[in-house]
Amino acid sequence: MRVDALVHRAVEALDDSRGRASDVAAELALVLSVSEQHARRVVDLSATLVRRLPQTLAAMESGVLDSCRASKVASATAWLDDEQARQVDSTISSKLAGKNPHQVRRVATYWAMKADPEGAARRASVRRAERSVQLLPGDDGMSTLLADLPAEVASSAYARIDRMARTLRGTNESRTLDQLRADVLAELLLGTNTDGSGAKADVHVYVDLTTLAGLNDNPAQLAGYGPVPASVAREIAHQPSSTWRRIVTDPLTGAPVDVGRHRYRPPAVTDEFVRVRDRECRFPSCHRPAHFGDNDHHIPWSAQGSTSHSNLVNLCRRHHRLKDRPGWTYRLHPDTGAVTITTPSGATYTSDPEPLHDPPPLQRPGALRYEEDPVTRENTTEPGDGGEPSSRRRGLGIGTRTCWPARDGHGLA
């Protein structure tokens, strides 16, 4: 990590001293024994880190990031101007420790969208217009069918394929789950599927109500994918197949404190609350959406563990089973919802549930305030609160192609 930082500073110094000459990459390729194309990427990344992302480079020098993770910040902010890139760099510099490359890119992408929401909307519009399908011939009688689709469409399509494939598994089924997914996809495309299991799949988008109303342009979160521009969230939310869902969040932390019960098929509220809170599998680095996973009892039911949100954690099936392997221990912190996992070698990793909205900034010590948008402010009372105004804010939720608005206490599901 520190060595990588030294290399990037040296490469940028060389490139600057040579007046950004085009042959710098050719010389660097000889020094590093890599292709010129790879060397050009090193030159470009070095210039970006030194000139646009000094805090990211400092994180490399302190051992927090390596070149791979730093490149994720660079690519996620590449479309911003220099001032916006430095703003994002400063904002996220304290948020990247312990994150894998995918998580680093998610964080950087989210804040890049916040820095320039109009630019994010334009880019999304251009990319959606470039949707395509390609056939890539392969070896050994195989080919790859590649579909470049809007994130929510691809997520919904995969969810449907996965759900149908899982219904076909049984004692007499010899195909693996991957084979079943491939066969289901082919049958759907060729029109040969007759098993009747083609139920529409859900995708979950978390977005705040004020963004849906067009009062701000905060990025939304597509479960299993990451940030999407506000314009995309509004487009999904207002599709005829979308349903909305209320979520109440703590205005200071962004954590959900209640999930509305009104939906086409009323859910088990506790089960749904945990899926909203966790959003994805809670195993560090796993991003399988929570609505595909298992809500696991941290303290087993057989050991008098309660079926409550303080004793439930969402895990995908693979990491649920891993919990029972020798040497693995999972610890749920009921007060925060954080999960700490200890591996057989004794290393520990902690996963915190992401807040559904950004906590407000502190005003000054002893004067913590939360500014509500005057247009959406509700001065409500809760049962049993003695008539005092509620400190929680209400929201709405969207579901199936499910949208969950979720900042400033306003949630969609």
Side-chain angles (χ1 to χ4, degrees):
M1 297 180 184
R2 295 178 175 87
V3 173
D4 288 344
L6 291 174
V7 169
H8 286 303
R9 287 198 182 277
V11 169
E12 166 57 14
L14 172 65
D15 193 30
D16 184 55
S17 68
R18 295 275 294 276
R20 314 285 174 195
S22 59
D23 62 347
V24 170
E27 181 177 356
L28 185 63
L30 296 174
V31 173
L32 300 180
S33 298
V34 297
S35 68
E36 285 194 33
Q37 184 179 18
H38 180 89
R40 170 48 57 190
R41 290 197 296 268
V42 173
V43 172
D44 292 342
L45 177 58
S46 299
T48 296
L49 291 171
V50 173
R51 299 162 65 188
R52 286 166 53 94
L53 304 173
Q55 297 300 320
T56 300
L57 183 57
M60 294 179 65
E61 291 171 330
S62 64
V64 173
L65 298 178
D66 57 14
S67 282
C68 177
R69 289 167 176 79
S71 71
K72 301 305 180 183
V73 179
S75 60
T77 57
W79 52 280
L80 300 176
D81 62 35
D82 288 352
E83 181 180 354
Q84 292 168 335
R86 293 189 191 100
Q87 175 188 341
V88 172
D89 181 50
S90 177
T91 300
I92 69 175
S93 60
S94 62
K95 304 177 186 294
L96 304 180
K99 287 183 166 53
N100 64 34
H102 182 75
Q103 293 168 326
V104 168
R105 184 176 180 87
R106 276 193 173 191
V107 172
T109 298
Y110 176 83
W111 289 99
M113 287 182 178
K114 288 203 71 167
D116 185 13
E118 293 181 358
R122 287 193 300 270
R123 283 168 50 82
S125 178
V126 170
R127 289 290 290 113
R128 290 162 91 84
E130 294 172 346
R131 60 191 181 276
S132 63
V133 175
Q134 300 178 55
L135 179 64
L136 307 178
D139 298 324
D140 304 318
M142 298 293 288
S143 290
T144 298
L145 186 64
L146 179 65
D148 196 12
L149 299 169
E152 77 281 1
V153 175
S155 296
S156 185
Y158 181 85
R160 183 183 182 191
I161 292 167
D162 182 71
R163 181 174 298 175
M164 294 175 67
R166 289 176 185 277
T167 63
L168 298 175
R169 301 179 77 180
T171 55
N172 296 323
E173 179 56 69
S174 61
R175 290 175 291 179
T176 66
L177 187 56
D178 280 339
Q179 290 172 335
L180 286 168
R181 291 192 190 105
D183 293 346
V184 165
L185 173 62
E187 290 170 357
L188 286 171
L189 293 176
L190 297 174
T192 58
N193 183 275
T194 58
D195 67 358
S197 60
K200 181 176 65 177
D202 294 358
V203 295
H204 297 258
V205 181
Y206 298 77
V207 56
D208 65 88
L209 187 59
T210 51
T211 292
L212 284 179
L215 301 179
N216 61 42
D217 288 305
N218 291 322
Q221 294 281 351
L222 175 61
Y225 173 79
V228 295
S231 59
V232 173
R234 285 191 283 265
E235 179 181 336
I236 298 171
H238 293 291
Q239 291 179 3
S241 58
S242 293
T243 60
W244 292 28
R245 187 77 168 291
R246 184 195 68 148
I247 301 173
V248 180
T249 62
D250 185 317
L252 299 182
T253 66
V257 294
D258 182 44
V259 176
R261 305 185 184 197
H262 301 293
R263 198 179 187 187
Y264 293 149
R265 292 187 299 272
V269 176
T270 300
D271 178 88
E272 195 76 359
F273 180 95
V274 174
R275 296 180 193 277
V276 170
R277 180 197 68 193
D278 291 351
R279 198 179 304 178
E280 296 174 346
C281 171
R282 293 296 305 287
F283 191 90
S285 80
C286 183
H287 301 289
R288 186 163 178 79
H291 53 283
F292 290 150
D294 303 329
N295 280 342
D296 176 52
H297 284 76
H298 172 57
I299 300 175
W301 175 260
S302 59
Q304 307 303 312
S306 64
T307 303
S308 64
H309 66 82
S310 62
N311 190 47
L312 291 172
V313 61
N314 191 273
L315 299 167
C316 70
R317 184 62 53 85
R318 177 169 176 265
H319 291 125
H320 188 176
R321 290 172 174 168
L322 182 65
K323 173 186 173 184
D324 297 322
R325 301 271 302 177
W328 290 86
T329 59
Y330 292 22
R331 180 189 175 199
L332 174 64
H333 304 270
D335 53 338
T336 64
V339 175
T340 297
I341 294 175
T342 304
T343 68
S345 62
T348 60
Y349 302 87
T350 298
S351 163
D352 293 297
E354 293 289 337
L356 296 185
H357 65 75
D358 301 327
L362 294 177
Q363 304 299 315
R364 65 179 183 274
L368 183 62
R369 292 191 299 129
Y370 181 69
E371 297 293 340
E372 295 180 313
D373 298 321
V375 176
T376 60
R377 181 171 181 172
E378 291 188 21
N379 196 24
T380 63
T381 59
E382 300 288 355
D385 64 4
E388 293 296 324
S390 171
S391 63
R392 295 173 178 174
R393 304 212 28 209
R394 296 187 180 277
L396 293 177
I398 300 182
T400 43
R401 190 163 281 141
T402 307
C403 282
W404 305 74
R407 184 175 115 40
D408 296 345
H410 304 292
L412 281 182

